[in-house]
Amino acid sequence: RPWRASLVRPAPQRAASRRFLLFAREARRYRRCRSRLCARMAQADGEKQPLLNGMKKEVSYSWLPVFFVNIFFACVSFSIIMPSLAPYLEQIHGDLSFLPWVVAIYSVGEMIGSVAFGRMYNELLERLPGGQGPRVAMISCILVGAVGSAIYAAADWCESPWMVFWARAIQGLWTGGQQTIEQAYLSAAVEPERRTELTATLSTYVVLGFIMGPCFGAAFTAIGSDGFSVFGIDVDMYNAPGFFILLVTLVMALVTSLCFAGEVRNDARSVSADDMSSPTGGAKRSVIGLAVCLWIFFVHFYSFAVQETITTPLAMRIYDWTPLEVDLLFVGAGVLSLFSALCVKFLTRQFEDQTLLLFSLVVGIAGSVLLIDIPSSWEEQAGDAGDAADDPRTTLSLWRFLIGFALITIAFPFGRNVTLGVFSNVLGPGPQGVWMGIMLAVGAIPRTLGPFSAVWLLDVVDWQTYLDFGVSTVLFVSALVVAVLFLKELTPASDADRMAKPILRPYPARRYAGPVQSKQK
């Protein structure tokens, strides 16, 4: 009919209508694809509701105060005996030449305890239900520290220097295991975005324990060598630190058993620690990234061990400093380390971990270069001085010494904390006890051998610093070059898996079937 002919659309309008319908259909498909992509990314990151022991729960960090107190007193046990260790050995008829071995055996025990308790953590995590695995591992480690403290205190009654030696070794087992278990559990219970921040907070209490240890030890000197008796047990200024740490470890074990639940995320149980593949069957863990982290960790600990070993004799020989001035220098270094650890906590929210890692290496290079003494300048000064050639105090200016000392002190907390966070993220999901034990054992190696090599190199070049800090500079430069070359290998495992394969399958192509015919009543 004529009136129906006027309703027929011309050809250009029909084409425009088809194009509009096609655009609307593609827009709906895009919105569905985007919503699925966001859901998959949120599920992969585990940011919404991480699974704790198979149940959906809100993330709770009620275990953090327990961890902070435990690691604080574990590090106090290392330095609390330093003011009284030498006179303690003399009282029990020990030779002062035995003192370096007593100090070094602590780091050896820490190296062994890191690996042993890391393995124990993984085995208990797999075998015991719920959160019993980390809980049992933590309490067992603390009780080992209680045994070492009891042996240290009993050495006074037996008058045996070897009891002090083995007591320090057992206490080293405790400290190494404590750090490994806490770092492995932190990686299993915390989302990757906050691992470096909480690692920095944990390291803050580590530094605080090392600083406060001598303060506790100095407080026990008020007891005197005569001491007092409690229930027939003689307590004096020498064995009082052992009794104090024994009491603290028993209280720590009780508080841990009552307040630490040990809940972990489900992905922390999905992979064996010896298996290098990811739990999803995707990209493997980066072996190169793990090796780079271990090398950077070793370099930072070596530089710090060399610095703390030769600073005291160097300052007293070159600048005629008194022991009090050297003690004040180390107190300032402790405060600076504490401030640096706090800075790491807040800088991780603004910068990538890889950036902070490179920054720590650059600061370490600058500090080591400033502490290098140029041999040619000393030879010229020695030739002009004649009889004063045996006096090396003009070889290194004081401002270079202080600035270099401060820079290495700043670089160490940055390097240690950020490297642990990057290492945990590169490992990805799964138990990390053994790997964290290996990491901390690598850090204990330079603390054991570094003091001996530092003093030997200092004697070889007649108390000049170019050999000691020249080696540190070369190590820092090599670590920086390796980190820059393999920077992509330091990507977290979850991000690497996400980049290795697409999260969503592409939508299949469809032919346009024309406009949808609506039904007429």
Side-chain angles (χ1 to χ4, degrees):
R1 300 178 183 177
W3 61 273
R4 292 186 64 90
S6 61
L7 297 179
V8 178
R9 296 177 181 177
Q13 293 183 4
R14 290 197 300 269
S17 177
R18 286 194 297 268
R19 287 195 298 268
F20 174 77
L21 292 175
L22 179 62
F23 172 77
R25 180 178 297 178
E26 294 298 328
R28 287 194 299 270
R29 287 167 53 186
Y30 169 75
R31 286 193 295 270
R32 287 197 300 267
C33 179
R34 186 179 61 179
S35 62
R36 293 179 185 179
L37 176 64
C38 295
R40 288 290 297 274
M41 291 178 64
Q43 182 180 2
D45 293 338
E47 296 176 350
K48 296 297 182 180
Q49 286 183 323
L51 294 177
L52 299 176
N53 295 334
M55 298 178 292
K56 288 187 177 181
K57 294 183 178 180
E58 297 294 334
V59 179
S60 175
Y61 298 127
S62 58
W63 45 269
L64 279 177
V66 179
F67 273 35
F68 293 156
V69 173
N70 288 356
I71 200 64
F72 171 77
F73 282 107
C75 295
V76 164
S77 69
F78 170 75
S79 55
I80 190 175
I81 55 96
M82 289 304 175
S84 61
L85 181 58
Y88 190 28
L89 289 176
E90 290 181 350
Q91 183 184 1
I92 59 179
H93 310 294
D95 192 2
L96 285 181
S97 61
F98 194 58
L99 178 62
W101 298 99
V102 175
V103 176
I105 194 60
Y106 186 91
S107 298
V108 175
E110 189 175 358
M111 179 172 52
I112 298 174
S114 299
V115 180
F117 279 102
R119 185 67 181 178
M120 176 184 177
Y121 170 85
N122 279 4
E123 293 293 334
L124 294 178
L125 183 64
E126 293 291 336
R127 295 182 180 181
L128 297 183
Q132 295 300 315
R135 190 162 168 264
V136 172
M138 180 75 74
I139 296 174
S140 303
C141 182
I142 295 174
L143 293 179
V144 169
V147 172
S149 302
I151 296 175
Y152 184 87
D156 189 16
W157 308 331
C158 301
E159 296 185 353
S160 173
W162 283 102
M163 289 186 66
V164 177
F165 179 84
W166 292 114
R168 293 300 290 168
I170 296 175
Q171 287 181 329
L173 292 174
W174 165 42
T175 305
Q178 186 86 23
Q179 295 183 66
T180 300
I181 293 173
E182 292 195 2
Q183 191 63 44
Y185 181 80
L186 188 146
S187 303
V190 177
E191 59 272 16
E193 291 76 12
R194 296 201 60 191
R195 284 176 188 169
T196 304
E197 177 186 345
L198 292 181
T199 299
T201 307
L202 199 65
S203 299
T204 303
Y205 286 88
V206 171
V207 175
L208 192 61
F210 285 127
I211 295 175
M212 296 299 297
C215 299
F216 283 103
F220 290 121
T221 58
I223 299 176
S225 58
D226 297 332
F228 56 90
S229 179
V230 179
F231 300 110
I233 301 175
D234 295 330
V235 181
D236 54 24
M237 62 180 291
Y238 304 117
N239 60 7
F243 284 114
F244 174 74
I245 296 298
L246 173 61
L247 179 62
V248 166
T249 49
L250 294 177
V251 174
M252 285 166 52
L254 178 62
V255 173
T256 302
S257 62
L258 295 177
C259 302
F260 180 50
E263 295 179 338
V264 298
R265 301 164 65 98
N266 274 358
D267 55 5
R269 301 174 181 270
S270 57
V271 186
S272 174
D274 299 327
D275 187 11
M276 294 300 296
S277 60
S278 64
T280 58
K284 293 184 178 181
R285 290 172 177 172
S286 174
V287 181
I288 298 177
L290 298 178
V292 170
C293 290
L294 291 175
W295 176 243
I296 295 175
F297 204 67
F298 176 87
V299 170
H300 275 291
F301 269 88
Y302 176 82
S303 174
F304 187 74
V306 170
Q307 180 205 34
E308 68 178 1
T309 300
I310 69 175
T311 294
T312 299
L314 202 63
M316 297 178 69
R317 183 180 176 90
I318 296 179
Y319 309 110
D320 288 334
W321 281 16
T322 63
L324 178 60
E325 292 174 330
V326 176
D327 290 341
L328 291 177
L329 178 66
F330 277 101
V331 170
V335 175
L336 188 60
S337 299
L338 188 63
F339 176 74
S340 301
L342 291 174
C343 288
V344 174
K345 176 182 177 181
F346 295 103
L347 289 177
T348 51
R349 303 175 185 176
Q350 305 294 331
F351 301 96
E352 295 291 336
D353 293 343
Q354 293 84 350
T355 304
L356 297 178
L357 192 64
L358 297 179
F359 171 76
S360 69
L361 295 174
V362 172
V363 174
I365 293 173
S368 299
V369 169
L370 285 175
L371 290 173
I372 292 177
D373 186 18
I374 303 175
S376 60
S377 63
W378 163 238
E379 293 176 358
E380 295 174 359
Q381 293 174 3
D384 297 336
D387 295 336
D390 294 333
D391 188 5
R393 67 183 61 194
T394 58
T395 58
L396 186 64
S397 59
L398 181 60
W399 68 269
R400 284 176 55 196
F401 174 75
L402 293 177
I403 295 177
F405 182 85
L407 290 178
I408 293 181
T409 304
I410 293 173
F412 179 70
F414 269 88
R416 181 189 183 276
N417 301 343
V418 178
T419 306
L420 280 173
V422 173
F423 188 76
S424 175
N425 291 336
V426 172
L427 283 175
Q432 298 185 3
V434 173
W435 283 103
M436 285 299 169
I438 294 173
M439 184 77 162
L440 295 172
V442 168
I445 292 174
R447 289 173 56 190
T448 305
L449 304 178
F452 295 98
S453 63
V455 173
W456 179 73
L457 291 176
L458 202 63
D459 290 336
V460 167
V461 294
D462 194 16
W463 288 84
Q464 298 185 53
T465 62
Y466 66 88
L467 203 54
D468 271 317
F469 292 105
V471 172
S472 298
T473 303
V474 171
L475 293 179
F476 270 120
V477 171
S478 66
L480 180 61
V481 171
V482 170
V484 171
L485 291 178
F486 300 102
L487 192 61
K488 293 183 179 180
E489 301 294 335
L490 302 179
T491 307
S494 58
D495 294 344
D497 290 342
R498 192 181 304 143
M499 291 186 296
K501 59 183 181 179
I503 296 180
L504 291 180
R505 296 179 180 178
Y507 243 91
R510 298 180 181 178
R511 292 184 179 180
Y512 175 66
V516 180
Q517 299 293 334
S518 60
K519 295 182 180 180
Q520 297 182 357
K521 292 184 180 181

